[in-house]
Each structure stands twice: as structure tokens, then as C-alpha cells.
Amino acid sequence: MKNFKLTVAYDGTRYSGWQRQGNAPNTVQGRIEAVLGEIFGHKIEIHGSGRTDAGVHALGQTASFAAETRLSPDELRVGLNRYLPQDIAVTAVEEMPERFHARLLARRKTYVYRLWIRDWPDVFGRRFTYGVGAMPNAEEMRLAAERLTGRHDFIGYSSLKKAKKSTVRTLESIRVEDAGDELRLVFIGDGFLYNMARIISGTLLEVGLGKRDIPGAARALTTLDRADAGPTLPACGLTLVSVEY
Amino acid sequence: MKNFKLTVAYDGTRYSGWQRQGNAPNTVQGRIEAVLGEIFGHKIEIHGSGRTDAGVHALGQTASFAAETRLSPDELRVGLNRYLPQDIAVTAVEEMPERFHARLLARRKTYVYRLWIRDWPDVFGRRFTYGVGAMPNAEEMRLAAERLTGRHDFIGYSSLKKAKKSTVRTLESIRVEDAGDELRLVFIGDGFLYNMARIISGTLLEVGLGKRDIPGAARALTTLDRADAGPTLPACGLTLVSVEY
């Protein structure tokens, strides 16, 4: 058996998220598994680094799977890209030690939430940004972001109904980057709860638009109450940039 | 009468080009004129800096028009963006001296042709790049590009059947920029003939792929024969970046 790591980019617009689900026919994992099934002649299960929600994009999602094969990593990559749709690309295939697992060993993830700040539409990137229509106060957002970084129970910033497992995560940094037509929120952490990046983005955006004060951005860290955090911003603005091991 | 200059960005994918035409219902000029007609209550004709072909994009196309109005440039911009589709954006409106004309006074244009050089699809920018699937030899392309810059009769690099007016243009520079996943051909000149940027791109790409030698790239400058230049690359890769006055 060989163990492989895939690095995958996708435009998530028309997918029901990463994870294969019984009732959602169009998922990124499902599409990749279908092509691998064709290549190997039998069912292959892949393990993503984690789920991405419906409509969320990825530049560097990762996944692993084991297979008995004489194909080289590069042959696999070319074969996958030949049969995958144009909005999913396998940018790298690597052979890994037997113990490698894309989800269990993920140490660090980077997400970016892209806010379009002009009062005209983003004609080139509109599938990948969320339009705010005005420049928020980035300095206030940076101050609020600082209060959210560190090791905390982030359940107040997630859409989890109830959590069986720990909801403590370390958010290493949140950078607020002025990129001309866009303001980018770059999140680096050891793991992200369901909707966490989108809810923190919504909370920081409220600060930037003067709808919430800086201490208010961090309130849900102590109350653990979803009602104390901001809105869940739309999926289209979020991209999983990379996963580190 | 006030004289206005518009700066316009568009995703040209679903348009039959810039210029309004009797039989092509969906043009960028036609869409903008329709909205101006609604705003002013009567027909307005706008003058673009020049045509862009069906499927070609723009970051900074310009156009001018005269109107009797009390609206400020900013009110006009906001009104236009409110009623234009999401793939056309008016990024600036300025009031200009009476003699300003977007086509007649255009001094300099910049186009970029974007070549996607990976052997996987460009999932985020595929509407705006042309996929080559391999890195061409950029250094050879630069050497060939140098032979094409300067003041020349470019009719051999155009799709014009016959030319009533002069086909001499000055191509100030062609930069070949390595931008990671893309190779970008940036053209700056005083004017571009029909399909000229796409045909020069096709000619340079042949050089980069080893299908044409460097002197061969410039042959059509002396023979003036379209058959001596390379193929017309697809419209999707081309963007009009800016027009200077």
C-alpha cells in the first residue's frame, strides 16, 4: 500500500462543501473519490484535512488516501486533473509515510476572508469576495482581532448546536491586510470550529463599521454565547489557503 | 452641457464586445447607454476609447459623453452602478473640459494577455486566463518581443481584411512578466489594430514553445502578411488595463 497526500484548489461556488454526504450529490470529496474510483477500478475513500462549508473555496485543501498502485504521484496528479471538472484542481500529489493522515496530523490552517470595499461590484473576483461597499476602520478591527487571538473556547463563535468534543482552539494570529480594493482577514490557527472563521469575520466587520465596540468583539469568549458574536458572513468570501503538518 | 469621462471595468465573458451593434444585443456600450438613457430620460451616446472584441475584459476602459445635468460625477457613478449588471462596474466618473473625447484623444493603451502555465486548471481565474499547461521559454519570448516594439506597420499582426486608414502604430514596450502561476504579456502602445494584441501574443507564445524562431516572430513586420504571424489567441486571456490621455 502507498499513502498519498493531495493538495487541492477549488472554486466552491457550485459545491455543497468538501465533505461527501448521502443527500448532497455535489461535493468536492465526492468528485475526487469518483475520479479515483475510475482510475483504480474500485472505491477509494479520501480523508480531507477538515470540512469546508458549502460555497467556501480552497487554494490548498489537503487530503490523504491509501492505495495499491504502480502509478507515480505525478501520474496520479495528471490523471486526476484530466477527469475532474474545471473548478477543482489537484495542484500536488506526494507519496507520504504510512502514518500520514491529512486530518489527524494537521497542525495549522490558514484561512482568508476577502472583503470587497469599493462601492462598485468586483467584476473579476465577485465569486470569491463579499462586498461591503465601503472601507471599514481597519485599525479598530486590528485591535479587536488581538483580543480574539490566543487559546480560547471558541464555541460562542461557532454554529455548533452542542459540542461533544473540545471546542478550545488556538488562534495564533488574525491579520487585517489592506490590499487596495479588498480588506483581507487572514486567520492562522490549529483548528477552526464550524463557521468560526465566518463568524469572527462578521464580528470584526461590525467593529470596522462602528456597530460594535472592541470589548464587545471578545464578549462571546467569556459568555460562550453565540448571540454575543456577530453575524456569519457569506461563504463566498472565505478561502482555505493552506494546511500545515 | 457637461462633458464626462467614465472609467469602466468589465468581465467581457458574456458580451459581444464593447461596441453597440445592430445585431448584437449584448454589448458593454449598449448596457451603459441603456442605463444612462434611464437616468437622463433620453438617449445618450457614449464614445469608448476603442472597441474591445467579444469576450475581452477591461480593468480601465474609458468612454466620454456630453449631457445637460445637475448630477455630480459621483452621483452619476453611483446611479450607473446601481442599474448596471454585476459584470460591469463604473469605477470613476470625472467632469472634463468640453474638448475631451475618449477615442480621439487617447494617447496610450495598456493591455495584458494572461497565460496560465500550470498543467492543472486555473480554478479562480479561468474566465480571465488562457491555459497553456506548461511554462514557455520566457527569455526567448522577451527577445522576440524586442523585435516587435517600435513604430511599424502592424497589418500583418491584425485581422483587418483591408485597411482604409493607416495601420502604422507605435508599440512602446512588451513586457513578459513571470507571475508565478501565470506568464503575463503586457503591451503598451499608442493604438492597437483589430486582434493585434491577441495575434502578437500567439506569435510570442509560439516562440516560447519552440515552434517559431526569434526572427520568425518579426517576419510579418516586413512581409505585412497575416500568414507569417502566429495564431490569434482566445479573447478570454486579454484585458484592457488602462487608457492614458
Side-chain angles (χ1 to χ4, degrees):
Chain A
M1 283 299 247
K2 287 180 181 171
N3 195 18
F4 293 101
K5 175 186 170 197
L6 304 178
T7 306
V8 187
Y10 46 89
D11 168 356
T13 309
R14 67 186 187 98
Y15 294 98
S16 312
W18 166 265
Q19 183 154 299
R20 176 171 30 83
Q21 297 161 64
N23 54 344
N26 210 17
T27 65
V28 180
Q29 180 186 7
R31 286 305 188 102
I32 295 172
E33 288 180 345
V35 174
L36 286 173
E38 292 293 325
I39 291 175
F40 291 115
H42 59 84
K43 196 169 157 15
I44 296 272
E45 188 181 0
I46 66 175
H47 302 279
S49 75
R51 308 175 186 197
T52 56
D53 297 345
V56 170
H57 317 289
L59 257 172
Q61 167 70 300
T62 53
S64 57
F65 68 95
E68 199 71 70
T69 180
R70 282 188 298 188
L71 291 174
S72 72
D74 215 52
E75 286 167 337
L76 258 176
R77 185 178 59 73
V78 170
L80 277 161
N81 286 323
R82 182 166 302 140
Y83 297 107
L84 282 168
Q86 290 293 299
D87 51 8
I88 302 177
V90 177
T91 62
V93 178
E94 296 157 85
E95 195 176 339
M96 303 297 280
E98 195 183 344
R99 59 171 193 80
F100 179 78
H101 188 286
R103 179 169 50 79
L104 298 177
L105 300 181
R107 274 197 317 109
R108 206 179 189 216
K109 290 183 186 178
T110 302
Y111 276 95
V112 62
Y113 198 95
R114 295 170 59 184
L115 299 168
W116 177 257
I117 59 167
R118 301 303 177 197
D119 66 351
W120 58 79
D122 180 9
V123 299
F124 297 106
R126 64 193 184 283
R127 291 161 76 99
F128 312 110
T129 58
Y130 170 57
V132 178
M135 180 63 179
N137 186 325
E139 204 38 61
E140 295 279 300
M141 290 172 76
R142 280 186 195 105
L143 294 169
E146 270 176 31
R147 306 225 179 173
L148 290 170
T149 55
R151 188 161 176 81
H152 304 288
D153 185 341
F154 282 100
I155 187 140
Y157 301 85
S158 92
S159 299
L160 291 167
K161 292 279 155 52
K162 49 189 176 188
K164 288 183 217 161
K165 298 177 188 167
S166 167
T167 50
V168 173
R169 296 288 183 279
T170 300
L171 198 47
E172 202 175 299
S173 67
I174 306 174
R175 289 201 310 273
V176 180
E177 297 181 350
D178 184 345
D181 291 338
E182 300 179 13
L183 195 69
R184 296 191 188 143
L185 310 179
V186 182
F187 300 92
I188 302 181
D190 62 358
F192 290 80
L193 306 176
Y194 181 42
N195 282 347
M196 178 172 150
R198 291 161 58 187
I199 293 170
I200 296 182
S201 296
T203 308
L204 295 178
L205 180 59
E206 284 191 338
V207 172
L209 298 176
K211 294 179 186 169
R212 176 184 290 269
D213 61 12
I214 291 170
R219 191 163 300 128
L221 285 184
T222 44
T223 65
L224 306 181
D225 186 350
R226 171 70 186 88
D228 287 328
T232 309
L233 293 192
C236 64
L238 188 64
T239 299
L240 171 58
V241 177
S242 61
V243 184
E244 290 166 68
Y245 293 92
Chain B
M1 284 296 248
K2 287 181 181 170
N3 195 19
F4 293 102
K5 176 187 168 195
L6 305 178
T7 306
V8 187
Y10 46 88
D11 169 356
T13 309
R14 67 187 189 98
Y15 294 98
S16 313
W18 165 265
Q19 180 154 300
R20 173 172 34 82
Q21 297 160 63
N23 53 345
N26 210 17
T27 65
V28 180
Q29 180 186 7
R31 286 303 188 101
I32 295 172
E33 287 180 346
V35 174
L36 287 172
E38 293 292 324
I39 291 174
F40 292 114
H42 60 83
K43 195 167 155 16
I44 296 273
E45 188 182 357
I46 66 175
H47 302 279
S49 75
R51 310 175 184 196
T52 56
D53 297 344
V56 170
H57 317 290
L59 256 172
Q61 166 69 298
T62 53
S64 58
F65 69 95
E68 199 72 70
T69 181
R70 281 187 298 190
L71 291 174
S72 72
D74 215 52
E75 286 166 337
L76 258 175
R77 185 177 60 73
V78 170
L80 277 161
N81 286 324
R82 181 166 303 139
Y83 297 106
L84 281 168
Q86 290 293 300
D87 51 9
I88 301 177
V90 176
T91 62
V93 178
E94 296 156 83
E95 195 178 338
M96 302 297 279
E98 195 185 341
R99 58 171 194 80
F100 179 78
H101 187 287
R103 179 169 50 80
L104 298 176
L105 300 180
R107 274 195 320 109
R108 209 179 187 214
K109 292 183 184 178
T110 302
Y111 277 95
V112 62
Y113 199 95
R114 297 170 58 184
L115 299 168
W116 176 257
I117 60 167
R118 302 303 178 197
D119 66 350
W120 58 79
D122 180 9
V123 299
F124 296 107
R126 64 193 184 282
R127 290 160 77 98
F128 312 109
T129 59
Y130 169 58
V132 179
M135 180 62 176
N137 186 323
E139 203 38 60
E140 295 278 302
M141 291 171 75
R142 280 186 196 107
L143 293 170
E146 269 176 32
R147 306 225 178 174
L148 289 171
T149 55
R151 188 160 177 79
H152 305 288
D153 185 341
F154 282 101
I155 187 141
Y157 300 85
S158 92
S159 300
L160 291 167
K161 292 280 156 51
K162 49 188 176 189
K164 288 184 217 158
K165 296 177 189 167
S166 168
T167 49
V168 173
R169 296 290 184 275
T170 300
L171 198 46
E172 202 176 300
S173 67
I174 307 173
R175 289 201 310 274
V176 180
E177 297 181 349
D178 184 346
D181 291 339
E182 297 178 16
L183 194 69
R184 296 191 188 142
L185 309 179
V186 182
F187 301 91
I188 302 181
D190 62 358
F192 290 81
L193 305 176
Y194 180 44
N195 281 347
M196 179 172 149
R198 289 161 61 186
I199 293 170
I200 296 181
S201 297
T203 307
L204 295 178
L205 179 58
E206 284 192 336
V207 172
L209 298 175
K211 294 179 187 170
R212 178 183 289 268
D213 61 13
I214 292 170
R219 192 163 300 128
L221 285 184
T222 46
T223 65
L224 306 181
D225 186 348
R226 171 72 187 86
D228 286 327
T232 309
L233 294 191
C236 64
L238 188 64
T239 300
L240 170 57
V241 176
S242 61
V243 183
E244 289 165 67
Y245 292 92

